[in-house]
Amino acid sequence: MPQPNANALESETRPAVTTNEAARLLCRRPQTLRRWACYEDGPIRPIRVHTRLLWPVDEIRRLLEGKPDSQTPGAA
């Protein structure tokens, strides 16, 4: 299984990326991220802009670094 692409995030300056870009960075299928958004049960939540989903780069970084979920109550 491919490793998450943390190096690609080092030069990322945008605050959020598209579903396809986030899926590539996380080594997941875009449909997996769409499911996370639909059921609101994933480790990160997207920003909804009209009909589009944008995934916060800071949250992707946090997830790849293995830090606690910042959206879970009681998380450090």
Side-chain angles (χ1 to χ4, degrees):
M1 181 170 171
Q3 295 295 318
N5 197 346
N7 292 336
L9 281 175
E10 291 176 7
S11 61
E12 185 59 64
T13 59
R14 296 175 290 174
V17 294
T18 66
T19 298
N20 287 340
E21 292 169 312
R24 180 181 50 79
L25 291 167
L26 295 169
C27 295
R28 298 285 185 262
R29 290 181 166 177
Q31 192 58 33
T32 300
L33 276 68
R34 291 184 193 103
R35 183 194 180 286
W36 291 349
C38 181
Y39 292 105
E40 297 183 351
D41 66 350
I44 59 176
R45 300 236 172 102
I47 300 164
R48 296 173 190 272
V49 179
H50 301 288
T51 60
R52 300 188 61 159
L53 299 173
L54 297 175
W55 299 84
V57 171
D58 288 342
E59 289 296 306
I60 294 171
R61 280 190 185 109
R62 179 196 51 77
L63 185 61
L64 291 176
E65 292 170 0
K67 293 183 179 174
D69 186 352
S70 64
Q71 298 175 358
T72 300

